[in-house]
Every structure is written in structure tokens, then in C-alpha cells.
């Protein structure tokens, strides 16, 4: 089509592109702004969420990593009385180094007691402790606080499942 016809077709579709009457072709591409949008661990393909990450890096901007077994759980005390709320936090690590990660890939689970059928307790207050899609919204971060509430006869060990 001629340039005038192209301009009319774009405007009818609700586009924001202006074309001069004598232009007969149009090329559209994406621009990564800022140029280092994906950081040192990815390549920008299509902003705002089009990064292609390398290695263990992930996320919209390739700034998060998958946590591994060197991650730690730290609590304000070594013991808790039955029913007492113990404040803890999960600190994700990879090869022993603190990292930013996404809770969608991590779930903290209590280990079942070796004898009996009593549940060992309750973990709550964070996306890293939910047992289904219901519960706190998944998030990115470096530290994830939560609470542990032991039940009667509860085991006091926690395990981590990396999904």
C-alpha cells in the first residue's frame, strides 16, 4: 500500500506509530533501556521481561539464583516450648554465598517424627512455608522470616525442599 493507506490502517488499529505519506514499509524492534537491563548474567531480548539468563541465574532481570543445600535456617533460640512461637528466618545461599532468590522454588518442611503420627509443628508467616498454592504470595528476596510453633511431642528438625 501507499504511505497514506498504511497510516490509516495503523490509526484504525489504535497504534501510536506515525508514518510519513511516502513511506511504504515499517520496521519494528525492541530497545533495551537501560542497555544493561539484564545485568552481567543475561541478554535482553524483549523488554521489560525478556531476558535470557545464563547458568544458574534467573528472574526478570537475571538478578536471582536458585538456592542450594548451603542455605540456612536461623532461629532466635535453640528450643521452643509447645505452642510457643519461635521467630526464624531462611537465608538462601548458593555455594555458601548469600543470594537473592524466588520463593516459588523453595519450601521449608518439618521432618516427620520417627515414632508416632503427631505432626511436628507448624511453620507459617512466609511464602517459603506454604504447603500449597494457597498462602502468602511468592516473592523475591534475600531473607525470608517465618514462625515455627512446635506441637506436643514435636520433632524440632526442619528440612528444605528445592523445587
Amino acid at each position: 500500500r501507499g504511505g497514506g493507506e498504511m497510516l490509516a490502517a495503523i490509526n484504525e488499529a489504535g497504534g501510536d506509530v506515525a508514518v510519513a505519506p511516502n513511506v511504504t514499509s515499517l520496521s519494528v524492534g525492541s530497545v533495551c533501556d537501560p542497555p544493561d537491563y539484564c545485568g552481567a548474567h543475561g541478554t535482553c531480548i524483549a523488554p521489560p521481561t525478556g531476558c535470557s539468563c545464563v547458568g544458574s541465574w534467573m528472574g526478570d532481570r537475571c538478578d536471582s539464583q536458585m538456592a542450594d543445600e548451603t542455605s540456612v535456617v536461623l532461629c532466635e533460640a535453640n528450643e521452643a516450648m509447645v505452642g510457643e512461637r519461635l521467630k526464624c528466618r531462611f537465608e538462601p545461599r548458593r555455594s555458601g554465598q548469600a543470594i537473592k532468590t524466588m520463593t516459588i522454588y523453595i519450601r521449608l518442611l518439618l521432618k516427620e517424627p520417627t515414632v508416632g503420627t503427631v505432626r511436628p509443628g507448624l511453620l507459617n508467616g512466609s511464602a517459603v512455608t506454604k504447603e500449597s498454592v494457597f498462602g502468602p504470595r511468592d516473592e523475591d528476596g534475600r531473607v525470608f522470616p517465618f514462625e515455627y510453633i512446635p506441637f506436643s511431642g514435636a520433632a524440632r528438625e526442619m528440612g528444605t525442599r528445592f523445587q
Side-chain angles (χ1 to χ4, degrees), residues 87-141:
K87 291 184 181 184
C88 302
R89 67 185 185 273
F90 173 73
E91 295 185 3
R93 295 184 182 177
R94 183 165 185 91
S95 300
Q97 300 296 313
I99 61 167
K100 178 182 172 190
T101 194
M102 295 183 244
T103 59
I104 194 167
Y105 299 109
I106 302 164
R107 291 296 175 260
L108 296 179
L109 306 169
L110 289 168
K111 292 182 180 178
E112 293 297 327
T114 55
V115 179
T117 59
V118 177
R119 284 204 51 162
L122 175 68
L123 299 175
N124 69 8
S126 173
V128 296
T129 63
K130 67 183 182 180
E131 295 182 23
S132 70
V133 295
F134 302 105
R137 183 177 176 179
D138 283 305
E139 60 188 347
D140 297 353

Side-chain angles (χ1 to χ4, degrees), residues 6-61:
M6 180 179 279
L7 179 60
I10 290 172
N11 285 336
E12 286 172 16
D16 295 324
V17 179
V19 179
N22 60 354
V23 174
T24 58
S25 67
L26 177 65
S27 175
V28 178
S30 61
V31 176
C32 296
D33 188 28
D36 63 347
Y37 182 81
C38 300
H41 308 289
T43 303
C44 185
I45 296 172
T49 58
C51 292
S52 175
C53 305
V54 297
S56 65
W57 295 92
M58 61 187 176
D60 290 347
R61 299 187 77 164

